[in-house]
Amino acid sequence: MDIREVRETDLDAWAALRHALWPECPLETAREEAGAILASPDEGAWLLWDGDDAVGFSEAQVYDGADGPYAHVEGWYVDPAHRGKGLGQELIGALEQWCLHRAIQRLTSDTTKDYPLSPAAHSRAGFRVLHRFTIFLKELPMDPQD
């Protein structure tokens, strides 16, 4: 297994993994977004390779916060056949090194109930729960008379 920063030649493999994590996102859109991430100075991405096959990825973006810059994990995925071996933690480790080289000491992430394995994976990678929240929505009628 090998982890390395994504290269232009990796876009198809990376897009396929992004599509596996977010299947509602069309493959071409996943590829276009990956290309934009690759071109951004404030975003980074790493691929996990098993020989010639990409089997996982992590992505992050840098944001300005009140206490200085921080990075946020935007995507993190390991193919199901390769899970349970600590490879997800290694992907986060590559992302952490990128942060530290940029003098960023705070890394955030989030998840939803759509990813039931995510909380345990985050815990194993050293994240702690900062806050849990629920977002409410109320649909308002367009016609105030309704």
Side-chain angles (χ1 to χ4, degrees):
M1 295 290 178
D2 181 43
I3 295 175
R4 62 175 165 82
E5 202 159 358
V6 174
R7 302 173 187 158
E8 186 80 30
T9 56
D10 300 330
L11 282 175
D12 289 335
W14 181 20
L17 291 169
R18 295 180 95 246
H19 181 68
L21 177 59
W22 300 300
E24 70 283 355
C25 180
L27 186 58
E28 186 54 37
T29 302
R31 190 179 194 290
E32 289 170 7
E33 291 173 353
I37 291 168
L38 196 57
S40 171
D42 292 326
E43 296 178 84
W46 296 263
L47 284 175
L48 170 66
W49 294 91
D50 182 4
D52 292 333
D53 299 320
V55 297
F57 77 94
S58 60
E59 310 175 350
Q61 183 168 351
V62 176
Y63 295 92
D64 290 324
D67 298 328
Y70 68 95
H72 185 78
V73 178
E74 300 291 349
W76 181 25
Y77 177 81
V78 175
D79 180 81
H82 291 83
R83 293 179 185 163
K85 303 172 187 174
L87 299 170
Q89 293 173 51
E90 290 184 32
L91 279 164
I92 292 297
L95 194 155
E96 291 170 358
Q97 289 303 307
W98 177 76
C99 290
L100 291 172
H101 285 286
R102 298 175 71 128
I104 295 170
Q105 295 179 292
R106 188 167 289 137
L107 179 61
T108 64
S109 187
D110 59 58
T111 191
T112 68
K113 66 180 180 175
D114 295 334
Y115 305 100
L117 301 176
S118 185
H122 278 83
S123 180
R124 285 189 303 274
F127 288 91
R128 65 179 170 84
V129 174
L130 179 62
H131 185 71
R132 295 184 196 274
F133 63 92
T134 302
I135 298 173
F136 294 92
L137 171 69
K138 180 178 181 181
E139 298 287 345
L140 304 176
M142 292 301 291
D143 184 357
Q145 306 267 324
D146 286 346

